[in-house]
Amino acid sequence: MALTSPVKEHPYNHLIDTLKDGKIKFFNARKLNDPRYDKLPLSIRVLLEAAIRNCDGFYTKEEDVQNILDWQQQQNKAEVPFSPARVLLQDFTGIPAMVDLAAMRDAVAKHGVDPSLVNPKCPTDLIVDHSLQIDYNKCAIQNAPNPGGGDGSGQSQGPSRSAPTRPPSRGGSQCGGQRGSCSKAACSDSAASPGRPSASVQQIENTPLLCPFHLKPVSETETAVKNQEMELIRNKERLQFFKWCSKAFKNVNVVPPDVGAVHQVNLEYLSRVVQVRDGFIYPDSVVGTDSHTTMINGLGILGWGVGGIESEAVMLGQPVSLTLPQVVGCKLVGSINPLTTSIDIVLGITKHLRQAGISGKFVEFFGPGVSQLSAPDRTTIANMCPEYNATVSFFPVDQVTLKHFKKTNFAQEKLELLESYMKAVKLFRSYEDNSEDPEYSEVIEIDLSSMVPHVSGPKRPQDRVAVSSMKQDFQSCLDEKVGFKGFHIAKEKQETRVPFLHCGQEYQLAHGSVVIAAVISCTNNCNPSVMLTAGLLAKKAVEAGLVVKPYIRTSLAPGSGMVTHYLNTSGVLPYLSQLGFEVIGYGCATCVGNTAPLPEAVVDAIKQGDLVACGVLSGNRHFEGRLCDCVRANYLASPPLVVAYAIAGTVGIDFEKEPLGFTSEGKEVYLRDIWPSREEVQQTEEDKVISSMFRDLRGRMEKGNIFWNNIECPDSVVFPWDHKSTYIRSPSFFSKLSKEVPPPQSIENAHALLFLGDKVTTDHISPAGSIARVSAAAKYLLSKRLTPREFNSYGARRGNDAVMTRGTFASIKLQNRFIGKAGPKTLHIPSNQTLDVFEAADRYQRDGIPLIILAGKDYGSGNSRDWVAKGPYLLGVRAVIAESFEKLHKNQLVGMGIMPLQFLSGQNADSLELSGKERFSIILPESLSPRQQLTVKTSQGKSFDVISLFDTEMDVLFFQHGGLLRYVARTLL
């Protein structure tokens, strides 16, 4: 709810405390002097603070506060409200909510009420990030690296001056066809990188030029402009509406296109840890319609994903209702292995939690090991919640969090206020102090030292091998019969070594020799630490005098220009280049087989000795022969391990016992000698990467998007609807809205629109995919003179109630017992005709006949969607009678004014011998109460009782008003 200054009637006025010489107030739950508070998990303390602050006797009651305080006894039992500090929307799910608010302004204006009073009560951020499509691009696949830094002719330009040119054709073919058919590759000396050959650069026509000074793509203004122009044309109506929303509504912040993805903007710009509003400070918290919302828990901000209707309810001031969750304490102990990367840790923790069976629970991290995780590590782990089915993975604020925010958008004064408040209410952690550990529902202990670095291979990504066992594992692969892990090399041939000449120098190849080493960051962009580790490793290797053998085909293919940017900013890019890991372009290269031809001498040596040569890459695919037909063993590894194996020149090495190489003085250099510490990586990440990313984001936020800035939108309090629009329409939720609450209206002589079975999902109720050409929605769009190619999807047209209503129950997998086969059809009972569901409902409504739905168990299961309740409401459905409901969907029905009615235990449509073709009457008493038993009478003379699933007085009130939207509108009337 919107925060207002507490008055005397507030039941918890006595808990108000102050900071900063009384200038800022806060509710201090510690003043309850209840010993249970210090034992609560910190995530539950956030729920408690919100309940205390928002306790109004209606949405949130003193009983709710006591239930949360008594969490140990009430977990998994009590239903409690939670009022988050803000709502996060992306444009696809945000547009229906904003359309509803715009329609509400029209409704109250008709009654003479100032429409500008209609605003979200909860601060709402809407990020327009789902609009851009790539109509024009500059494809960035370069089939060969250019380690010499020249243009392929042997004319060196230096390692930081490479400027690939565009040849008229692609040149020679890459590896393909029969084993050993690799094409010849030119070998010419390069003064820029001594000992490294220059390779012919094979590029397709659209390959972008790289900036010769920064190794980043030269700005392709034409491409960006054309894509943005198409975005403006395709989404003009939607963008104009969003622009109007940003000006017309209070409490709405619209982040324009081309700023960033919703979860990244939330993480990098919107996160606050604490909110200060109306003179009060309180914890930041969020519910969002983006599946990555849980990332925010890594920064000590409680948040999770919800559906569109739930987010809209929060915007309008209604709290989220949740069963007080169990909280699993995940205790991290032990020291991280020096060679273990952040990705190893994230995947290791995810694996442990997936096996622990924590579905639907909160996870809260504690223990001395947490301090070793950086803020990006924590947000990555929190983002993996869907993988282990937790609701949130919460990392309470500590010094690492404060250090992170110091590098972002937090001024020192705000940091000091944040720290003072979080410590005052005991929401700040010192993970090394176990006296601060709360009590949890259960504790899972994970030893970080048990997480060792792995590679995958030699043929399948699921075959993981610990790096410490790599030498022995490869040897066993040589011994094994040909299969997923075997090559069946005879014992007498396993020591074969084949000499060859390369650029005038003799080398030897053996089984396990590395001939391809590719650092690819596309699968590592979520956490830059692994790329920085590779760069810092390269720096230390070069400083120690180590080199990569020149015949190894090395390459660096960043997933985006941002990766090149932070590698360059941190000063490690030249060292990667010196080892041969030159930026070759931006796009899929080695992992899809676009590897440059190996030198002919290398191919001949592999064929001569029938060698199992190896490729090592940091991509996600490496099936046998995928990289190159003559390379049989391929391993997936982290970027720093790719560099390490390239320097070693073989996968048959024990890094603990064998040196990578030797200094110019002949001193042995082990991997541990040059592997950067986690502290060094984290410091570089915070100083170079994080601060740079935030400066860039702030700059884009302040500068804005040129097209967004130039979009014209109405300067009006109410939105001027375009009646020709097929994307945005004023919905009819507020038709015939009266100031007075109408008395409960019984349902008389209703027909069943559908007779459904068990497990009807939200996909059945409101499909989100493409619009079928023979559907009711298609007929509507055709009537608007659109071609099938212009239909787009139901998801894109969520702002048009005419399309979405016609799309309700339009799933081809809908099993309607009236029809007897799957399809979006139903029986219009009076005429005995089989029609589209919408057409049948339309006929019923024209004839003034109310509708119900009969269903089995688990009605409404699946992902939450805006239109799973809005659609049935507009079809004229007054009630759904089912054996059981998905709780979330039941709440959605109540929010739209549809009665969820449940058969009594042991009863269903079959046991009551209902055909579904009867007329149904449901008599409502003048005074409804939660979970009241009602009687249903049929035209066949039968009667049976059902339970109305109104769980609270609030549910009853919403139903009496005809739903949440009409309730909020009437409060303004």
Side-chain angles (χ1 to χ4, degrees):
M1 292 183 64
L3 181 68
T4 55
S5 298
V7 293
K8 290 182 180 179
E9 288 75 18
H10 196 293
Y12 294 103
N13 261 350
H14 61 286
L15 301 184
I16 293 178
D17 217 334
T18 61
L19 291 171
K20 297 190 71 172
D21 301 324
K23 295 178 182 178
I24 294 180
K25 303 176 183 179
F26 66 98
F27 285 91
N28 191 349
R30 294 177 65 188
K31 293 178 73 173
L32 289 167
N33 296 319
D34 194 312
R36 292 176 295 179
Y37 181 77
D38 288 349
K39 297 178 182 179
L40 291 176
L42 276 72
S43 52
I44 300 299
R45 295 180 200 180
V46 176
L47 297 180
L48 178 64
E49 189 283 335
I52 291 173
R53 177 168 39 88
N54 292 286
C55 189
D56 59 0
F58 179 62
Y59 285 117
T60 306
K61 302 177 181 179
E62 290 183 65
E63 178 187 354
D64 298 317
V65 173
Q66 291 304 315
N67 282 337
I68 299 174
L69 192 59
D70 193 29
W71 169 80
Q72 281 288 2
Q73 302 302 317
Q74 296 296 329
Q75 58 182 298
N76 237 13
K77 298 177 184 177
E79 194 82 8
V80 297
F82 173 55
S83 299
R86 56 190 173 93
V87 175
L88 181 71
L89 304 173
Q90 42 96 331
D91 48 329
F92 270 15
T93 52
I95 197 164
M98 302 313 300
V99 165
D100 290 346
L101 289 180
M104 190 183 295
R105 283 196 167 187
D106 293 342
V108 301
K110 290 177 181 177
H111 288 272
V113 176
D114 182 3
S116 66
L117 295 176
V118 176
N119 294 288
K121 292 184 179 180
C122 184
T124 301
D125 296 299
L126 194 157
I127 292 85
V128 185
D129 72 331
H130 282 50
S131 299
L132 183 65
Q133 296 181 27
I134 302 175
D135 297 283
Y136 302 92
N137 74 306
K138 291 291 183 181
C139 185
I141 298 179
Q142 279 184 238
N143 287 330
N146 188 14
D151 60 0
S153 62
Q155 300 299 313
S156 171
Q157 299 178 31
S160 61
R161 296 288 189 269
S162 65
T165 58
R166 302 181 185 182
S169 67
R170 298 183 62 171
S173 63
Q174 58 186 354
C175 297
Q178 300 299 314
R179 180 179 300 168
S181 63
C182 299
S183 302
K184 295 181 180 181
C187 175
S188 55
D189 295 331
S190 172
S193 300
R196 298 288 306 172
S198 175
S200 58
V201 182
Q202 298 175 319
Q203 298 170 292
I204 63 174
E205 183 179 355
N206 290 339
T207 303
L209 293 174
L210 297 182
C211 169
F213 300 102
H214 300 99
L215 288 177
K216 292 190 292 185
V218 176
S219 175
E220 295 283 2
T221 307
E222 181 184 3
T223 298
V225 168
K226 283 187 175 182
N227 276 322
Q228 289 174 340
E229 285 176 348
M230 284 300 297
E231 180 180 10
L232 178 62
I233 293 169
R234 180 182 291 115
N235 297 286
K236 183 178 180 182
E237 297 174 30
R238 298 170 67 245
L239 295 177
Q240 283 180 328
F241 178 72
F242 286 138
K243 187 76 172 281
W244 175 80
C245 290
S246 69
K247 294 183 176 181
F249 289 109
K250 297 177 182 177
N251 270 346
V252 173
N253 171 44
V254 177
V255 178
D258 202 35
V259 170
V262 55
H263 54 281
Q264 287 300 122
V265 174
N266 184 32
L267 201 66
E268 298 170 8
Y269 187 80
L270 302 175
S271 56
R272 300 172 177 88
V273 183
V274 293
Q275 298 268 3
V276 179
R277 193 175 181 205
D278 297 335
F280 276 76
I281 187 171
Y282 51 97
D284 188 16
S285 55
V286 62
V287 291
T289 58
D290 179 65
S291 60
H292 297 284
T293 303
T294 55
M295 289 182 79
I296 208 69
N297 292 278
L299 299 179
I301 300 169
L302 190 64
W304 60 85
V306 296
I309 291 180
E310 294 73 47
S311 64
E312 192 168 341
V314 175
M315 289 169 63
L316 295 173
Q318 184 186 4
V320 174
S321 179
L322 73 157
T323 302
L324 204 54
Q326 291 180 291
V327 182
V328 177
C330 185
K331 186 175 184 179
L332 302 184
V333 298
S335 297
I336 297 174
N337 185 306
L339 300 187
T340 301
T341 67
S342 294
I343 298 301
D344 293 320
I345 295 167
V346 169
L347 295 180
I349 291 175
T350 299
K351 180 181 178 181
H352 276 278
L353 294 176
R354 188 188 295 122
Q355 294 171 344
I358 54 175
S359 178
K361 301 175 184 178
F362 280 17
V363 175
E364 185 168 301
F365 287 85
F366 74 109
V370 179
S371 303
Q372 301 175 63
L373 302 180
S374 67
D377 290 341
R378 299 175 187 188
T379 56
T380 307
I381 293 169
N383 186 46
M384 299 295 281
C385 270
E387 292 297 319
Y388 43 86
N389 293 320
T391 302
V392 300
S393 284
F394 189 72
F395 287 84
V397 174
D398 68 338
Q399 287 295 341
V400 172
T401 319
L402 295 183
K403 183 180 178 182
H404 170 78
F405 278 109
K406 191 172 184 179
K407 302 293 183 181
T408 61
N409 58 337
F410 276 59
Q412 185 61 34
E413 182 181 4
K414 186 174 181 180
L415 275 175
E416 292 172 358
L417 176 63
L418 183 160
E419 185 173 3
S420 298
Y421 169 71
M422 299 301 271
K423 287 182 175 178
V425 295
K426 287 198 171 183
L427 287 174
F428 191 90
R429 278 296 324 246
S430 173
Y431 288 106
E432 289 78 12
D433 185 356
N434 59 15
S435 68
E436 295 182 8
D437 292 350
E439 294 181 0
Y440 295 105
S441 307
E442 61 177 297
V443 172
I444 299 171
E445 184 170 298
I446 299 177
D447 186 353
L448 295 176
S449 64
S450 68
M451 295 179 187
V452 296
H454 284 77
V455 297
S456 294
K459 300 181 182 182
R460 302 188 304 174
Q462 61 264 46
D463 296 326
R464 301 182 75 214
V465 183
V467 171
S468 58
S469 305
M470 181 65 162
K471 184 174 183 177
Q472 299 94 316
D473 188 82
F474 182 75
Q475 181 62 47
S476 68
C477 289
L478 296 180
D479 295 332
E480 290 287 334
K481 293 180 180 180
V482 175
F484 292 132
K485 290 277 289 184
F487 298 101
H488 198 53
I489 304 297
K491 285 286 185 182
E492 64 272 15
K493 294 184 178 181
Q494 290 183 9
E495 299 300 322
T496 299
R497 293 185 176 276
V498 181
F500 67 98
L501 286 175
H502 180 77
C503 295
Q505 189 171 344
E506 183 176 303
Y507 299 93
Q508 285 188 341
L509 286 183
H511 293 292
S513 291
V514 173
V515 294
I516 296 174
V519 173
I520 305 163
S521 75
C522 54
T523 53
N524 298 290
N525 277 331
C526 63
N527 193 323
S529 64
V530 286
M531 293 297 288
L532 286 175
T533 303
L536 292 170
L537 177 71
K539 179 176 183 292
K540 291 173 179 285
V542 170
E543 291 171 345
L546 300 181
V547 296
V548 174
K549 293 180 177 64
Y551 59 82
I552 298 176
R553 184 64 73 217
T554 51
S555 60
L556 170 59
S560 71
M562 175 57 73
V563 179
T564 309
H565 172 69
Y566 66 65
L567 290 177
N568 189 59
T569 303
S570 58
V572 300
L573 197 57
Y575 297 97
L576 284 164
S577 299
Q578 195 164 338
L579 291 179
F581 292 96
E582 296 260 2
V583 174
I584 62 159
Y586 299 83
C588 293
T590 307
C591 54
V592 293
N594 290 332
T595 305
L598 296 176
E600 183 179 16
V602 172
V603 176
D604 290 343
I606 293 173
K607 291 170 64 178
Q608 179 184 335
D610 191 25
L611 299 177
V612 180
C614 297
V616 186
L617 72 154
S618 63
N620 62 356
R621 288 292 183 271
H622 66 328
F623 304 115
E624 184 177 10
R626 184 177 179 125
L627 306 190
C628 177
D629 274 3
C630 58
V631 180
R632 284 189 274 172
N634 299 295
Y635 288 91
L636 300 183
S638 65
L641 284 175
V642 172
V643 176
Y645 280 115
I647 295 171
T650 178
V651 298
I653 181 174
D654 184 336
F655 286 130
E656 279 295 312
K657 300 176 181 178
E658 300 174 59
L660 277 178
F662 301 87
T663 66
S664 56
E665 293 82 21
K667 181 182 177 182
E668 294 179 336
V669 179
Y670 289 84
L671 182 57
R672 58 179 174 268
D673 298 328
I674 62 171
W675 192 277
S677 67
R678 284 185 61 80
E679 292 73 23
E680 185 179 359
V681 174
Q682 289 176 2
Q683 191 65 48
T684 305
E685 187 175 16
E686 291 286 350
D687 292 345
K688 303 295 183 181
V689 181
I690 301 298
S691 57
S692 175
M693 288 169 63
F694 278 86
R695 281 196 303 271
D696 177 67
L697 181 60
R698 282 200 303 273
R700 282 183 283 139
M701 289 288 291
E702 293 166 2
K703 183 180 178 181
N705 176 288
I706 183 171
F707 289 97
W708 173 262
N709 295 340
N710 291 335
I711 288 176
E712 296 182 358
C713 72
D715 187 15
S716 57
V717 177
V718 294
F719 186 71
W721 306 96
D722 180 359
H723 298 292
K724 296 180 181 179
S725 173
T726 58
Y727 276 98
I728 297 173
R729 254 177 50 124
S730 178
S732 55
F733 300 134
F734 302 100
S735 62
K736 301 178 182 179
L737 178 69
S738 61
K739 289 186 178 181
E740 297 75 25
V741 182
Q745 293 184 338
S746 297
I747 300 174
E748 297 182 0
N749 294 316
H751 268 303
L753 176 63
L754 297 160
F755 191 5
L756 306 172
D758 296 340
K759 296 191 180 299
V760 174
T761 69
T762 51
D763 282 328
H764 295 125
I765 302 171
S766 183
S770 59
I771 298 172
R773 296 190 179 194
V774 294
S775 65
K779 294 174 186 176
Y780 167 79
L781 293 172
L782 288 170
S783 73
K784 298 295 182 181
R785 298 185 178 181
L786 295 183
T787 65
R789 291 187 64 183
E790 297 171 304
F791 285 175
N792 214 320
S793 66
Y794 286 113
R797 294 192 180 273
R798 287 176 179 170
N800 186 324
D801 65 306
V803 172
M804 298 308 294
T805 305
R806 287 166 172 80
T808 304
F809 296 110
S811 169
I812 60 173
K813 296 182 179 180
L814 182 71
Q815 293 282 354
N816 182 3
R817 293 173 64 175
F818 283 149
I819 304 302
K821 61 180 181 179
K825 301 287 184 179
T826 195
L827 180 69
H828 180 252
I829 297 169
S831 66
N832 203 35
Q833 286 182 288
T834 298
L835 303 171
D836 286 333
V837 175
F838 172 79
E839 292 174 353
D842 188 50
R843 282 198 192 182
Y844 283 126
Q845 290 200 71
R846 288 202 305 266
D847 294 336
I849 298 174
L851 297 172
I852 67 166
I853 291 173
L854 295 174
K857 298 174 183 176
D858 301 323
Y859 180 79
S861 57
N863 294 329
S864 174
R865 290 184 183 152
D866 306 83
W867 283 93
V868 289
K870 290 179 178 179
Y873 173 84
L874 293 180
L875 287 177
V877 174
R878 297 280 307 280
V880 178
I881 306 176
E883 289 184 68
S884 64
F885 290 82
E886 174 73 20
K887 178 185 171 184
L888 189 57
H889 184 57
K890 185 269 295 181
N891 292 339
Q892 293 168 340
L893 294 174
V894 172
M896 287 307 301
I898 297 174
M899 278 197 298
L901 304 176
Q902 184 172 302
F903 289 109
L904 297 184
S905 178
Q907 293 185 351
N908 56 35
D910 290 332
S911 68
L912 295 169
E913 297 181 345
L914 300 177
S915 68
K917 298 180 181 180
E918 305 91 342
R919 301 289 287 264
F920 298 85
S921 295
I922 307 169
I923 308 303
L924 300 183
E926 289 187 10
S927 179
L928 269 174
S929 58
R931 301 195 71 83
Q932 187 170 352
Q933 199 159 300
L934 304 174
T935 299
V936 181
K937 295 181 179 180
T938 74
S939 57
Q940 303 299 318
K942 294 180 182 178
S943 66
F944 57 94
D945 289 344
V946 292
I947 299 172
S948 60
L949 297 185
F950 302 124
D951 292 333
T952 64
E953 294 289 350
M954 187 170 63
D955 286 350
V956 174
L957 185 64
F958 288 158
F959 172 72
Q960 290 174 334
H961 277 270
L964 173 66
L965 294 173
R966 297 171 78 88
Y967 165 75
V968 173
R970 281 200 181 93
T971 61
L972 297 171
L973 299 184

